[in-house]
Amino acid sequence: MGKSVTRLFEQFQPENYELELHPDPESMLFSGRVTIHGKKVGRPSKRLTFHQSGLKITSANIIKHDKKGDLSVNVSRINNQASYDEVRLHSDSLIYPGQYSVTMEFSGEITRPMHGIYPCFYKHEGQDKKLIATQFESHHAREAFPCIDEPEAKATFDLTLTTPGGQTVLANTPIKTQSTSKKRQTTTFETSPKMSTYLLAFAFGELHSVSAKTKDGVVVSSWATVAQPKAHLSYANNEAVQYLEFFTDYFKTPFPLKKLDQIALPDFDSLAMENWGLITFREVGLLADPENRSISGEQLISLVIAHEVSHQWFGNLVTMRWWDDLWLNESFASIMENIAPDKLHPDWQQWEDFASGRVISCSHRDIYKDVQPVAVEVKHPDEIMTLFDPAIVYAKGARLLNMLREYIGEDAFRTGLQSYFKKYAFTNTSRSDLWQEFSHSSKQDIEKLMTPWLQKPGMPLVRVKREHNSLLLSQKRFLMDGDDAVSTWPVPLLADQKLEPAIFDAKSARIEVSKTTMPLLNIHGNGHYIVSYDDPDAQENLRSRIIDQSVDSLGRINLINDMLLLARAGEYSLSPMLELAVKCAREPRVAVWSMFMRTVGQVQVLTDGAELTEKHLRKYEQKLAQYWYDKLGWTDKPKDDQNTKHLRSTALSLSLAGESPDAISHALEAFERLGNVEKLPAEQRAMIAGAAVHHGKPSHIKQLMDEYASSHNPEVKQAICQALCATRDVAVAKRLIEWGLGDKGAVRQQDIDHWFAYLMRNYRTRDLAWDWLVANWGNLLKLFAGSKHMEYFIWYSSGPVSTSEWRAKFKKFFEPKIKEPSLKRNIQIALGEIDVRVAWREREEEQLKKYLKKSQ
């Protein structure tokens, strides 16, 4: 069975850490001293055990505090248990329950994998620079100092850092004292709130910032390296101020710190991390050019900031007891990241973005037998990192909470949250604590409603049939790679007319209806289930309602998504969906358009490699885009709202993908006239650069590679990555891999997976990308040791696979790796997805080819 999780909090409970660290960026080493004040609990024993990973503990002493005074406890042996991430302090005498202070001195390495204490690299004015930062979630604080590295082990922290002089030093709390001696500066920070070890953070380097205050006097500052323009921090800082004020009011609970810092890191494993008072971001998640504005970039920044600022309450102020309730952190932050922008930016229609983003993500993953439930039992330390499945813990959890919110109403939802924070501030909770508060606010049994949704993987397919004045309902788990005839869920019907009962919790039921029209279930798509209407007339009515827009945009998105899911299962077909998209060519909402684009994307996957069909699909794309391409053109107008700007980008992108001569001409002219990607309109960078790759001069490839290597702008880099990886020239792809993904390649460590993903998605370069992955797997394991990145390579390599030949390749390489706990679940799901996609292609490819040929 191997090792299992041991809860060290059950033998020692920290109350305060006095932590001194001396990181040296030049030698990439650090030393430190920690005194942990806390309580020994449980039975008497002859040792105290703490977490550590990769540290050398050089000395240790234990002091017992009691009424007789302070007594020294002999430490006879220091035993580093590397395989268990532990250090065990042995004594010749029994250590009884009580108050203790444990002091350890230690040393360690600053390592390249982007967790623990690690370096970020960048250039400024031609000089190589280094920024030191931390990432401790989920269980990487132990790489920086000995501790009880579990979320329930909340304590206060008194942190002192000795760092190179003249650099900015940041941590969770404001600076208390700072002094300089012999080119080193020592910074002591104010005592932190009581918090989990994974929330401790610090960073130091050459930084600059912009600052503002909330109406409550909290100082909000946004930081970046000096290589980035300070003006690019202003948008994010303004958003952070607004979101901090919004959540303080929404939760009726003050933010407990004097300041909130945000810092853009050149190298970062995730998009952002909610460290209390010092939120860390990838540069793309925080930096926005105020002159050449990217609307989608600003919306991403707003969403990420809302997510992380909401974490200052969900996760930081109130924390899950153990990782099996990680969803208490991430699902709530993922719903709040939509509630807040919906109020502060109502013109964005944020719930459309949620329906076409998070909802699609979870509904297309939660259909395989090996998928995890929202709440997962952790049986092995390496499984902790696998819990952060964005489609389940983030997206599905958020959808379930939105389902609950619609069912009980906004007032009861908000009142329950306010009571929850008031009651449990600075403590740890489990899901039942939250359900209790919602039950009080809604006067309903919320635990009974929500527990099955959290504990069971998957989602139901609800079949609906009209029989006179009744609806005949049945439910069964919608499973693509197996069969589950047992599971049922309490399904809120969320219909466009009143139905009794409002919750369907049996395998089948008959419900009386008063209206002659067929009720539309799950009207806004907030319920985590699929609906299939068995009556052909009802199906045709739904298509008509999408076309004439008599159901709102959220409903249209959900109906199209249900069709896509049913097509995957063989109960529907993509050809009628392509025809539906043509009939909806004047659809005004870009989020609905994203569903048509997703349909086209599925058709590409199921037919890729067929060059004649590819030509037919391009003609279809031109036809689909023509109305909005003609109407909106290339240039934003002063009165354009966000939706119109995004709709223009969609029409242009689709026209270029369809190789419209007029669109190609415009794109190449813009590329030649403006001279580089940075100067291109921000929303059009990737598509125009892509046109230069496909239809421009050979010299454009070198031009783009040079700009990628020299640019500090993360959005510019991302656009160039997309454009170059879309090449149809295998020789160019080989050149890109050697240039970008080699040992000293131009691509940052954090972005390697993006380049791989785009090259795998391109069927002309897929063999090269796959060969690179196979050859470099061992190096990638070292480079991303202990991080979430390795699962990304599984997702990206399986996503475009739709043939038996590629299935065999994938299975041969990845099946032996199932024995690795951190990879097991993602490999199993990927194998199931591939089997389904291969069958889907075999079922639909010829029909799709005929439709596209006929549509010319």
Side-chain angles (χ1 to χ4, degrees), residues 72 141 198 393:
S72 178
Y198 77 86
V393 171

Side-chain angles (χ1 to χ4, degrees), residues 407-420:
Y407 180 68
I408 67 174
E410 169 67 14
D411 289 345
F413 186 80
R414 186 173 178 180
T415 300
L417 292 179
Q418 291 170 0
S419 174
Y420 177 72

Side-chain angles (χ1 to χ4, degrees), residues 132-203:
I132 300 298
T134 60
Q135 169 61 27
F136 291 163
E137 190 182 38
S138 56
H139 56 306
H140 300 296
R142 66 191 68 180
E143 297 168 16
F145 61 101
C147 55
I148 303 296
D149 199 11
E150 298 172 4
E152 193 170 5
K154 284 192 167 187
T156 58
F157 291 81
D158 289 289
L159 174 65
T160 298
L161 296 174
T162 300
T163 59
Q167 296 187 353
T168 299
V169 188
L170 304 172
N172 304 82
T173 55
I175 292 173
K176 183 178 180 181
T177 63
Q178 191 170 60
S179 61
T180 303
S181 175
K182 296 180 180 180
K183 297 183 179 181
R184 300 281 286 176
Q185 65 183 6
T186 299
T187 308
T188 299
F189 295 89
E190 294 181 9
T191 304
S192 78
K194 188 179 179 183
M195 64 186 191
S196 303
T197 48
Y198 77 86
L199 294 170
L200 184 69
F202 60 83

Side-chain angles (χ1 to χ4, degrees), residues 45-47 73-77 89-95:
S45 64
K46 288 190 174 184
R47 75 180 189 203
V73 177
N74 175 54
V75 178
S76 59
R77 182 163 53 96
L89 307 183
H90 293 267
S91 175
D92 292 332
S93 57
L94 283 172
I95 302 173

Side-chain angles (χ1 to χ4, degrees), residues 325-387:
D325 270 330
L326 173 67
W327 74 274
L328 278 171
N329 287 13
E330 298 302 345
S331 300
F332 266 98
S334 298
I335 193 65
M336 298 313 301
E337 75 183 23
N338 293 279
I339 289 174
D342 183 56
K343 297 299 182 184
L344 297 178
H345 301 286
D347 57 314
W348 290 3
Q349 296 293 312
Q350 183 59 38
W351 291 112
E352 290 183 350
D353 186 68
F354 178 75
S356 60
R358 291 285 198 192
V359 168
I360 306 306
S361 171
C362 68
S363 60
H364 285 259
R365 186 163 175 84
D366 204 23
I367 55 178
Y368 297 97
K369 60 183 174 61
D370 292 304
V371 75
Q372 69 183 56
V374 174
V376 189
E377 183 182 357
V378 177
K379 299 177 181 178
H380 188 289
D382 290 344
E383 291 177 346
I384 294 175
M385 289 307 297
T386 71
L387 299 181

Side-chain angles (χ1 to χ4, degrees), residues 378-524:
V378 177
K379 299 177 181 178
H380 188 289
D382 290 344
E383 291 177 346
I384 294 175
M385 289 307 297
T386 71
L387 299 181
F388 292 81
D389 187 330
I392 302 300
V393 171
Y394 292 70
K396 178 181 176 179
R399 192 185 192 191
L400 294 177
L401 291 171
N402 209 32
M403 178 177 76
L404 173 65
R405 179 169 166 260
E406 182 176 347
Y407 180 68
I408 67 174
E410 169 67 14
D411 289 345
F413 186 80
R414 186 173 178 180
T415 300
L417 292 179
Q418 291 170 0
S419 174
Y420 177 72
F421 288 123
K422 183 178 181 180
K423 190 171 183 178
Y424 295 108
F426 301 104
T427 67
N428 297 83
T429 61
S430 64
R431 69 199 75 155
S432 61
D433 299 316
L434 181 63
W435 298 151
Q436 186 176 36
E437 300 311 310
F438 279 137
S439 294
H440 289 159
S441 65
S442 68
K443 305 295 189 290
Q444 299 189 61
D445 188 345
I446 301 304
E447 186 158 12
K448 180 181 178 182
L449 170 65
M450 296 302 293
T451 295
W453 292 101
L454 294 178
Q455 292 184 344
K456 296 179 183 180
M459 64 177 177
L461 167 64
V462 176
R463 295 193 183 277
V464 184
K465 186 174 183 179
R466 183 73 181 252
E467 190 175 274
H468 305 299
N469 293 327
S470 299
L471 285 185
L472 301 182
L473 304 180
S474 65
Q475 65 163 297
K476 184 181 179 181
R477 182 178 176 185
F478 187 74
L479 196 57
M480 299 300 303
D481 56 347
D483 185 62
D484 180 351
V486 177
S487 295
T488 59
W489 289 262
V491 179
L493 296 176
L494 307 175
D496 60 351
Q497 55 183 270
K498 187 174 182 180
L499 298 177
E500 292 293 345
I503 290 181
F504 166 45
D505 59 2
K507 282 193 175 183
S508 61
R510 179 186 294 269
I511 296 179
E512 300 301 316
V513 291
S514 56
K515 294 185 179 181
T516 56
T517 56
M518 170 72 84
L520 184 61
L521 305 189
N522 204 16
I523 180 65
H524 296 124

